[in-house]
Amino acid sequence: MRKQIDCYLLYTVFVMLLLLGVVSQSNARSRGNHRSPSFMRIVTNATDFASEDYYDYIIVGGGTAGCPLAATLSQSFRVLLLERGGVPYNRPNVMSHDGFLATLTDVNNFDSPAQSFVSEEGVPNARGRVLGGSSAINAGFYSRADKQFFDNSGLDWDLTSVNQSYEWVERAIVFRPQLRTWQSAIRDALLEVGVHPFNGFTLEHKVGTKIGGSTFDRAGRRHSSADLLRNARSSNIRVAVYATVERVLLASSPDDSGSNVSAIGVVYRDQLGRFHHAMIRDRGEVILSAGSLGSPQLLFLSGIGPRSYLSTWGIPVALDQSYVGDFMYDNPRNGISIVPPVPMENSLIQVVGITEEGAFLEAASNVIPFASPIHSVFIRAPASPLYVPVTTIMEKILGPVSTGSLRLASTDVRINPIVRFNYFSEPQDLERCVNGTRKIGEILRSRAMQDFMFREWFGSRRFRFVGAPLPLDQTNDLVMADFCRRTVSTIWHYHGGCVVGKVVNSDLKVNGINSLRIVDGSTFNISPGTNPQATLMMLGRYMGLKMLKERLRFK
């Protein structure tokens, strides 16, 4: 009987984790009230905007990079920031550490903060649809990029300005996390299995084991790139929420660069379906910060892409650009989950092991409610959810090298495009996954993990896995590679689609189009370090400062 109950418990939790559909909003315990901060007076519903207006800079996407970019440019110029979602501050799940899973699962087609999508490989994924973008729905881990990113990203970085831009973000929204049971055990296990040295608390990318920063404060309240708008000059910026940009407006205008097409503005739609035109002034720019799905999608819908492909959709071709939507990357995540025998707190990623073999090791724990479908004929009261602790150890690979592509599913911009990442199509990615999952096996065999094993009859101990356990023969490369392919999931670090050197140049200007730039992760050909949000926020600030200097030099 005990075995039947155990199996039923594990099966139910397993189904819950796979479908991610039974996490109730009650999982988030609201901490205090989540009133909008005073600087949000610059934010207005798009329905209140004029049908036409003029700005120096129009930024499409109030996400991880878009908010710091807008705040910086507003110091000297009139800026419009257009966000297709709403504000995060009136949503307790979004604003709470404990609401992370609920935010990712409480989705709808058009206005939930998280918009779900599934790659052609069948891997569920999510993108931000709220002011703050994915920084408002992620796990909050903050760590700077590695040297390899700066060496291979295709940009000519001013590293002094890079560091200043990181620090600008960190002063506002980054905190030192307090480790509790699970994260402390993971730290000890990583060191026990040789992920050395221990680098303590640091925001830098360093080989070894470290405690990273968090955008959740000690009270469990989320901070995101939306908070960086408090640094904006309020007289120079307008932020429109529920503003869905349909396309970039283009016109013929030859200049000294040889380009004969220029961006002149955008068309966006409000919640009532009314269209608005936002236009740029002389020497102004349209900047796409809509993310790795949104920015290439908008280029396609604006007539920028491969001529033959756009013609199949009946989209007038403004520029034949072969590489839009190509070079899509997603860092595969693989790992294991267990039900521990001891009470467990909610903890998102706080500790990371950075290995020499190209794998990053992270962990999380969640207390997850689910309701049993079994109802006793003797119990008339409604069933209360059972709260089950589930802990996870995962690895993410460096890179990746494998690439995919993005294409339209509809000419309705609200519909997710179709994306394929081709996980593990390159042997190097598979080798790194095998190395990373073997290291997870070492962690499970460490002394630090013994407290998370159930004691069986006759004194033996074992883990109770949720989902697939690691293979028994972890020395067999083929078996481990098969595990990587079978259990692949995402850690939400997808990037590319408008990469440097193909779609944009080293100043992130769209090749062949004047006054159009892209500032977001779609320009990346490699993921920055263990987690990208730090570098995306830095990028917004960095490019804002660079553009201000460009304008001053022109004057």
Side-chain angles (χ1 to χ4, degrees):
M1 181 64 178
R2 176 184 171 187
K3 289 184 177 180
Q4 290 177 336
I5 294 173
D6 287 348
C7 290
Y8 174 74
L9 173 65
L10 289 174
Y11 174 78
T12 308
V13 179
F14 178 39
V15 172
M16 175 276 302
L17 287 172
L18 283 178
L19 300 180
L20 291 179
V22 301
V23 180
S24 67
Q25 292 190 12
S26 63
N27 189 43
R29 298 170 178 84
S30 178
R31 297 176 182 267
N33 61 48
H34 299 288
R35 292 177 298 178
S36 295
S38 59
F39 70 85
M40 292 301 290
R41 62 181 177 272
I42 65 176
V43 180
T44 309
N45 194 298
T47 55
D48 296 330
F49 278 65
S51 60
E52 183 171 303
D53 206 346
Y54 287 79
Y55 303 87
D56 296 302
Y57 292 101
I58 299 167
I59 300 171
V60 179
T64 311
C67 287
L69 176 63
T72 302
L73 291 173
S74 73
Q75 301 306 310
S76 300
F77 297 97
R78 189 167 191 242
V79 175
L80 173 65
L81 179 62
L82 297 167
E83 168 52 45
R84 67 195 182 115
V87 298
Y89 301 103
N90 59 354
R91 294 180 177 268
N93 281 338
V94 171
M95 294 304 298
S96 168
H97 175 279
D98 291 348
F100 169 69
L101 285 180
T103 297
L104 289 181
T105 58
D106 182 19
V107 297
N108 59 43
N109 287 334
F110 295 117
D111 67 356
S112 56
Q115 182 179 9
S116 62
F117 69 97
V118 179
S119 73
E120 285 196 306
E121 296 92 341
V123 175
N125 215 317
R127 56 194 292 218
R129 182 171 50 194
V130 64
L131 194 64
S134 293
S135 75
I137 65 170
N138 66 16
F141 191 74
Y142 183 100
S143 183
R144 295 186 180 190
D146 55 316
K147 183 178 183 298
Q148 185 172 346
F149 170 79
F150 291 109
D151 290 344
N152 295 294
S153 61
L155 301 187
D156 184 17
W157 296 97
D158 175 349
L159 294 181
T160 298
S161 183
V162 165
N163 287 329
Q164 291 171 347
S165 298
Y166 273 128
E167 291 166 359
W168 181 81
V169 173
E170 290 154 11
R171 286 193 296 269
I173 65 168
V174 181
F175 305 88
R176 178 172 182 165
Q178 185 174 8
L179 304 192
R180 295 176 65 186
T181 306
W182 181 239
Q183 296 293 327
S184 296
I186 290 297
R187 174 201 59 200
D188 296 344
L190 285 167
L191 294 172
E192 188 179 333
V193 301
V195 186
H196 296 149
F198 179 53
N199 295 308
F201 170 71
T202 179
L203 303 179
E204 300 291 344
H205 184 95
K206 295 182 178 181
V207 171
T209 297
K210 76 164 194 170
I211 302 166
S214 176
T215 53
F216 290 100
D217 61 27
R218 286 293 181 92
R221 180 180 171 87
R222 181 190 292 277
H223 299 263
S224 72
S225 69
D227 293 28
L228 301 174
L229 290 171
R230 71 173 69 252
N231 296 313
R233 178 171 289 184
S234 59
S235 59
N236 271 356
I237 189 170
R238 298 198 71 189
V239 180
V241 293
Y242 299 113
T244 302
V245 175
E246 301 273 321
R247 66 185 185 278
V248 179
L249 295 173
L250 303 169
S252 297
S253 58
D255 72 353
D256 295 338
S257 69
S259 300
N260 58 7
V261 179
S262 295
I264 60 172
V266 301
V267 177
Y268 66 96
R269 188 187 300 205
D270 63 28
Q271 281 181 303
L272 301 178
R274 296 181 302 202
F275 289 100
H276 304 252
H277 289 72
M279 313 299 291
I280 55 173
R281 296 168 172 169
D282 185 42
R283 307 205 72 82
E285 290 186 38
V286 174
I287 307 164
L288 301 186
S289 296
S292 292
L293 268 63
S295 289
Q297 179 188 31
L298 276 171
L299 289 184
F300 282 146
L301 294 175
S302 304
I304 303 170
R307 180 181 301 275
S308 59
Y309 177 69
L310 295 177
S311 298
T312 63
W313 283 96
I315 298 172
V317 179
L319 178 69
D320 185 6
Q321 228 286 14
S322 300
Y323 296 109
V324 175
D326 286 346
F327 303 100
M328 291 293 298
Y329 307 83
D330 189 23
N331 300 78
R333 170 172 61 98
N334 294 84
I336 55 89
S337 295
I338 59 173
V339 176
V342 293
M344 193 62 58
E345 71 280 354
N346 278 331
S347 77
L348 300 178
I349 299 166
Q350 297 172 333
V351 173
V352 62
I354 300 173
T355 70
E356 297 275 14
E357 294 79 26
F360 307 135
L361 297 154
E362 301 174 338
S365 60
N366 295 98
V367 180
I368 300 173
F370 72 95
S372 170
I374 297 176
H375 297 283
S376 169
V377 294
F378 301 105
I379 301 176
R380 293 190 177 184
S384 298
L386 176 64
Y387 289 86
V388 177
V390 177
T391 59
T392 299
I393 307 171
M394 65 198 93
E395 64 85 29
K396 162 196 167 178
I397 66 167
L398 176 70
V401 181
S402 304
T403 68
S405 61
L406 174 148
R407 62 186 189 275
L408 297 176
S410 168
T411 54
D412 183 344
V413 72
R414 297 172 300 175
I415 304 300
N416 282 320
I418 299 168
V419 62
R420 171 177 287 275
F421 294 112
N422 290 323
Y423 299 104
F424 300 128
S425 59
E426 293 291 336
Q428 187 177 2
D429 291 341
L430 197 56
E431 180 183 353
R432 286 171 171 166
C433 178
V434 168
N435 292 335
T437 49
R438 279 191 177 131
K439 189 62 72 173
I440 292 175
E442 293 179 36
I443 289 171
L444 291 175
R445 293 189 291 273
S446 69
R447 292 186 301 275
M449 289 289 106
Q450 288 187 6
D451 288 343
F452 303 96
M453 303 174 79
F454 277 84
R455 186 180 297 276
E456 301 295 311
W457 292 329
F458 308 113
S460 63
R461 289 171 174 265
R462 69 176 179 92
F463 291 109
R464 297 192 180 178
F465 289 95
V466 179
L470 289 176
L472 293 177
D473 183 4
Q474 293 167 25
T475 64
N476 188 314
D477 288 349
L478 294 178
V479 170
M480 295 301 288
D482 178 67
F483 175 83
C484 288
R485 292 191 183 96
R486 284 189 296 108
T487 65
V488 65
S489 58
T490 185
I491 201 163
W492 308 287
H493 295 171
Y494 53 90
H495 51 283
C498 301
V499 298
V500 174
K502 300 294 185 181
V503 177
V504 298
N505 65 16
S506 59
D507 291 320
L508 301 186
K509 296 179 178 180
V510 175
N511 295 324
I513 303 286
N514 298 314
S515 306
L516 181 60
R517 210 181 292 237
I518 302 177
V519 180
D520 61 23
S522 72
T523 64
F524 292 174
N525 59 15
I526 185 172
S527 187
T530 61
N531 300 72
Q533 76 160 341
T535 300
L536 285 166
M537 287 188 272
M538 176 278 290
L539 180 70
R541 172 66 172 176
Y542 176 89
M543 288 303 301
L545 293 173
K546 183 175 182 177
M547 293 166 70
L548 291 178
K549 290 177 183 176
E550 288 175 358
R551 291 291 291 263
L552 288 174
R553 281 199 299 269
F554 172 77
K555 287 183 178 180

